Amino acid sequence: MTETAAASELAPAAGDRTEGEPEPGLELPADRFSNRELSWLNFNARVLALAEDRRQPLLERMKFLSIFASNLDEFYMVRVAGLKRRQEMGLTLRGSDGLTPRETLALIGENSGELTARHARCFLNDVQPALAQQGIRLLSWGELNEHQQAELSEYFHSKIFPVLTPLAVDPAHPFPYISGLSLNLAVLVREPDSEIDRFARVKVPNNVRRFVVVKQTAEEADFLPLEELIAAHLPALFPGMTVVEHHLFRVTRNTDFEVDEDRDEDLLQALERELVRRRFGPPVRMEVGEDIDEAVLALLISEIDLQPSEVQRLPGLLDLTALWQIYDLDRPALKEAPFVPATHPRFVEGEVPKSVFATLREGDVLVHHPYESFATSVQRFIEQAAADPNVLAIKQTLYRTSGDSPIVDALIDAAEAGKQVVVLVEIKARFDEQANIKWARALERAGCHVVYGLVGLKTHCKTSLVVRQEGGSLRRYAHIGTGNYHPKTARLYEDFGLFTADEQICSDLTDLFNVLTGYSRQTSYRTLLVAPHGLRSGLLERIEREIDLALAGRPAHIQIKTNHLVDELLIDALYRASAAGVRVELMVRTFCTIKAGVPGLSDNITVRSVLGRFLEHSRVFYFANDATPEYWIGSADLMHRNLDRRVEVLAQVTGPNTDQLRYTLDLAFASETTAWELQGDGRWIRSGGAKSVDYQEVLLKRLASRGE
């Protein structure tokens, strides 16, 4: 059997589901789904609201401005690019919301323009002046004194000038390629004895820090944007010419791509070819200063091949993603109070770390990041396995990890020590492809067995399996998480992880790794819910069970915490649950196309969204189940891609560990907890008044009190 055939066995049949169509006999309205892209813009508006909130520490507000900008870049590079491609192909198929790609793009244009202007004004008129009051200033060249200008001129000529390449545009010089997300100066120059303006482009280097330090002390920090420094020295780039004017612009390009996995025999090489092509994707947006010359703008639109509607005029700085550089200033009074993640009490005895294996023989452990340490739980699990002479094998999935990954280092150590190490590296993880290719090759060089998953499917599940010799038998230990094996994001992302030595779970993971690495066609498991088979149907089965209980007059309750909710079959099932009287509480961070609180459709459905200093990333599922509740955690969001085109895993949490999940869900849905709540008319309203509580701060305080 070919690898393609094996994947087709694992993938769901094409006729298993029809998006957007209710089950026969149901009378659900055609307009029951919200527009997915507008739901994302609503999410980013909530991020922006945190930047606008003056109760937030000042540098935290600036951090949210940067996050908003990064989010919007990715939205255009992927979501808008995909819609534009479908429009250009002439596809008029309407989505579940009833809109064509052209209609959705028009709505995005209307809404994103307003958001980006609000974003720019928040920094220019609010955050930047507030920073100046705290001694953190972004200056223009004209605001520098003579001594400062002289120092920075020397810096320019020694460090910046040699890497700049002004590119003329004339009959002998075609318009240069503008790389995605690069800052560029459009420059008009003129010969002294001529009245004809000539166009040139100067790229602002992206390998130099965006903000040049003018002065920095413990109390003050003055910065000059790099483009200001370059603009002040344009005559040095065009000697003998008069610089007439200059304007900053930035282009966003389509970075999505597809690899023909059926045709390409070497997935690694095919992906590397596509990564090169990504740099040359078609443009989808251009940002310019609001005072740009109309003739220059017309030239840019024509040469870059954009529509005028795809241009965003913005006041102040372009590309606020660079504000992270200023956030890194050592100004603790302007940031959230730091905290140190605690070691889970089951993994430590006094000050001495305990063996993870001995701990798990006593029972399962549930950890909650970032409140509980990734380093002393997940990382220690892999490191102890690598160093333990009784460990025979380690099997691991890697979707994203950090540049200096202790997880990868431990796996390499294990392989070099003679252990069997199998690592499934998902080299198609968007925007981490290059890093994952690097890790794949490093692991291969160390002697690890590296595989890239199944053709047509991304492996998104977060799983580790350790096989250990204990006496005359083998024992297996496992970790199943909601977040990546990434020690840096584990300090910023909220996630759960289950450690277990349960034989059935470990047997299921053994079978799953055989599917991922070999030709096994297994599609059902003892205890796990695994996509692309079984996960959606497993959730639907549990929703139907709550419906039956409600119709029988028994208490029925569903709570779901997820990043995204767009799957039509699951949404329809939740609508049916609401109609049957099931209390449905949803906590959705980003994409959300369900409608809440609509009379006759979703009277019993509430949807909340919590944003804060940590990114809410865990996926948790609760079903009351007639007083025998079920709790599940895992990697899957409720989207078509996760349920149909990815390998995902949900694991059931049982016993005392459910207390932590119960506490977290109760807090998330408590009326006094500050959150955004979805209204019946589609608006998100921030709840909580003077006595409201911050969900994440309560969890931090609970952690601190437990440590004491």
Side-chain angles (χ1 to χ4, degrees):
M1 181 186 295
T2 66
E3 187 177 10
T4 304
S8 66
E9 291 290 341
L10 186 58
D16 283 355
R17 57 188 299 277
T18 303
E19 294 177 7
E21 294 186 6
E23 292 185 3
L26 291 177
E27 294 183 3
L28 291 173
D31 63 349
R32 65 192 182 277
F33 303 113
S34 300
N35 180 270
R36 169 176 169 158
E37 316 309 338
L38 293 188
S39 78
W40 185 92
L41 289 174
N42 285 331
F43 153 71
N44 217 27
R46 299 194 291 276
V47 175
L48 180 55
L50 292 175
E52 294 169 331
D53 186 350
R54 295 184 180 181
R55 294 170 297 180
Q56 293 275 350
L58 184 55
L59 286 178
E60 300 298 335
R61 295 178 64 194
M62 195 177 66
K63 175 187 75 177
F64 286 117
L65 287 171
S66 181
I67 291 171
F68 174 97
S70 297
N71 287 347
L72 199 65
D73 283 347
E74 184 170 338
F75 178 70
Y76 270 89
M77 290 189 292
V78 179
R79 299 300 309 169
V80 173
L83 286 166
K84 187 177 177 183
R85 183 172 64 248
R86 290 196 287 276
Q87 175 186 284
E88 291 169 349
M89 292 171 63
L91 299 179
T92 58
L93 182 67
R94 296 184 183 274
S96 59
D97 58 357
L99 299 178
T100 65
R102 181 180 298 277
E103 292 167 339
T104 298
L105 284 169
L107 281 175
I108 289 171
E110 294 171 13
N111 287 269
S112 67
E114 178 184 337
L115 271 182
T116 52
R118 185 175 135 198
H119 175 243
R121 289 194 303 268
C122 177
F123 179 68
L124 185 64
N125 301 332
D126 189 355
V127 172
Q128 187 172 352
L131 287 169
Q133 292 177 1
Q134 297 295 328
I136 302 171
R137 292 172 290 269
L138 289 180
L139 304 175
S140 65
W141 180 257
E143 292 176 291
L144 305 182
N145 60 40
E146 289 186 10
H147 174 70
Q148 291 169 332
Q149 288 186 350
E151 281 193 335
L152 290 186
S153 289
E154 182 178 344
Y155 169 75
F156 171 82
H157 286 287
S158 63
K159 303 293 186 182
I160 306 300
F161 180 80
V163 302
L164 297 179
T165 305
L167 297 175
V169 176
D170 58 29
H173 300 87
F175 193 90
Y177 177 78
I178 308 299
S179 53
L181 303 186
S182 64
L183 279 174
N184 301 270
L185 287 168
V187 185
L188 292 182
V189 297
R190 185 183 301 164
E191 294 185 12
D193 56 352
S194 172
E195 296 184 357
I196 299 175
D197 292 339
R198 301 186 182 279
F199 178 90
R201 173 263 199 161
V202 178
K203 181 178 178 179
V204 178
N206 57 9
N207 56 355
V208 179
R209 303 198 86 182
R210 170 76 180 283
F211 299 111
V212 180
V213 176
V214 178
K215 176 180 67 175
Q216 188 168 342
T217 67
E219 294 80 26
E220 292 185 300
D222 290 346
F223 297 94
L224 179 74
L226 182 58
E227 62 268 24
E228 282 266 341
L229 180 62
I230 296 171
H233 292 83
L234 285 174
L237 292 168
F238 303 97
M241 305 287 283
T242 300
V243 176
V244 179
E245 58 186 86
H246 65 272
H247 303 278
L248 200 65
F249 69 99
R250 181 175 185 255
V251 174
T252 308
R253 293 187 175 275
N254 181 342
T255 61
D256 209 8
F257 60 83
E258 294 181 1
V259 175
D260 188 344
E261 299 179 61
D262 292 326
R263 184 191 65 191
D264 289 297
E265 294 182 1
D266 190 322
L267 181 59
L268 197 66
Q269 291 181 4
L271 188 62
E272 287 180 315
R273 288 195 302 270
E274 291 303 319
L275 286 173
V276 173
R277 292 178 194 169
R278 171 188 276 177
R279 296 170 49 203
F280 303 98
V284 293
R285 174 183 65 156
M286 181 168 66
E287 300 161 274
V288 299
E290 62 180 359
D291 60 347
I292 189 169
D293 178 80
E294 292 299 330
V296 172
L297 178 59
L299 174 67
L300 292 174
I301 289 173
S302 173
E303 293 290 351
I304 297 173
D305 193 20
L306 285 159
Q307 297 298 318
S309 61
E310 294 169 327
V311 176
Q312 293 179 343
R313 291 174 177 259
L314 300 171
L317 285 173
L318 299 188
D319 186 16
L320 296 186
T321 62
L323 292 177
W324 278 108
Q325 179 186 340
I326 297 174
Y327 179 82
D328 288 339
L329 286 171
D330 185 18
R331 297 292 296 272
L334 303 180
K335 298 181 182 181
E336 296 275 12
F339 85 103
V340 177
T343 297
H344 192 288
R346 292 277 308 283
F347 287 141
V348 67
E349 195 167 320
E351 298 294 324
V352 181
K354 290 176 63 177
S355 163
V356 175
F357 307 118
T359 299
L360 296 185
R361 286 195 292 270
E362 299 168 359
D364 295 354
V365 176
L366 183 74
V367 293
H368 195 186
H369 310 303
Y371 309 103
E372 292 169 319
S373 171
F374 178 92
T376 59
S377 58
V378 179
Q379 182 178 323
R380 184 175 291 168
F381 175 55
I382 304 300
E383 289 175 341
Q384 285 188 359
D388 188 336
N390 293 318
V391 168
L392 305 180
I394 303 173
K395 301 183 180 186
Q396 174 88 46
T397 60
L398 284 179
Y399 191 75
R400 302 186 198 277
T401 190
S402 60
D404 50 345
S405 174
I407 299 291
V408 173
D409 291 342
L411 294 171
I412 289 173
D413 290 343
E416 291 176 345
K419 303 182 193 313
Q420 180 177 325
V421 179
V422 177
V423 188
L424 192 140
V425 180
E426 183 46 78
I427 58 174
K428 293 171 288 182
R430 182 178 285 136
F431 301 123
D432 277 311
E433 299 95 342
Q434 199 66 55
N436 285 6
I437 289 172
K438 171 191 167 188
W439 289 128
R441 289 190 163 140
L443 289 161
E444 285 176 335
R445 286 194 298 269
C448 299
H449 303 290
V450 179
V451 293
Y452 309 124
L454 294 165
V455 171
L457 297 173
K458 282 186 180 180
T459 304
H460 189 249
C461 55
K462 327 298 183 183
T463 57
S464 299
L465 183 68
V466 172
V467 182
R468 190 171 186 268
Q469 181 76 47
E470 296 183 1
S473 63
L474 298 181
R475 185 152 189 174
R476 291 170 292 192
Y477 300 86
H479 170 265
I480 298 174
T482 68
N484 295 303
Y485 292 100
H486 196 306
K488 290 184 178 177
T489 59
R491 296 194 289 269
L492 300 172
Y493 287 21
E494 176 272 341
D495 276 300
F496 284 102
L498 177 68
F499 292 89
T500 184
D502 180 87
E503 268 303 307
Q504 292 203 70
I505 291 178
C506 291
S507 294
D508 275 349
L509 280 184
T510 299
D511 292 343
L512 178 60
F513 273 104
N514 288 341
V515 169
L516 296 174
T517 62
Y519 289 130
S520 168
R521 292 182 286 174
Q522 180 169 329
T523 58
S524 62
Y525 297 84
R526 303 163 186 81
T527 59
L528 301 179
L529 296 179
V530 179
H533 288 285
L535 202 157
R536 181 191 284 106
S537 60
L539 292 176
L540 288 171
E541 176 187 327
R542 285 157 178 80
I543 295 171
E544 294 296 339
R545 186 176 62 196
E546 295 300 312
I547 292 174
D548 291 342
L549 289 168
L551 293 175
R554 306 298 295 271
H557 190 195
I558 296 169
Q559 291 176 315
I560 296 175
K561 180 178 182 295
T562 183
N563 295 317
H564 313 295
L565 173 57
V566 300
D567 186 77
E568 289 88 358
L569 290 182
L570 285 168
I571 290 175
D572 280 348
L574 293 173
Y575 284 145
R576 293 196 305 274
S578 172
V582 180
R583 181 158 58 108
V584 179
E585 295 179 302
L586 308 171
M587 185 173 170
V588 184
R589 191 190 75 222
T590 311
F591 290 115
C592 180
T593 59
I594 198 170
K595 295 184 176 181
V598 177
L601 175 67
S602 53
D603 305 78
N604 294 311
I605 296 176
T606 58
V607 181
R608 310 189 103 201
S609 182
V610 171
L611 302 177
R613 70 185 292 181
F614 306 128
L615 182 81
E616 293 294 325
H617 191 252
S618 65
R619 295 86 165 180
V620 182
F621 303 84
Y622 165 75
F623 304 94
N625 192 29
D626 200 18
T628 54
E630 288 187 7
Y631 295 85
W632 296 77
I633 67 167
S635 54
D637 286 311
L638 304 184
M639 304 178 74
H640 312 144
R641 72 183 188 193
N642 297 83
L643 303 176
D644 296 327
R645 301 190 299 277
R646 288 186 174 186
V647 180
E648 305 275 15
V649 169
L650 295 187
Q652 188 173 357
V653 178
T654 59
N657 288 309
T658 60
D659 293 345
Q660 172 69 14
L661 295 177
R662 183 72 268 144
Y663 179 88
T664 303
L665 291 172
D666 284 345
L667 180 61
F669 294 109
S671 59
E672 64 271 18
T673 296
T674 301
W676 276 268
E677 295 187 348
L678 180 59
Q679 308 299 298
D681 60 5
R683 293 177 302 126
W684 289 85
I685 303 297
R686 197 169 189 180
S687 64
K691 296 183 179 179
S692 63
V693 300
D694 185 301
Y695 170 74
Q696 296 179 350
E697 286 301 314
V698 171
L699 291 174
L700 280 172
K701 289 175 182 176
R702 183 171 184 256
L703 170 69
S705 63
R706 191 184 74 182
E708 292 169 2

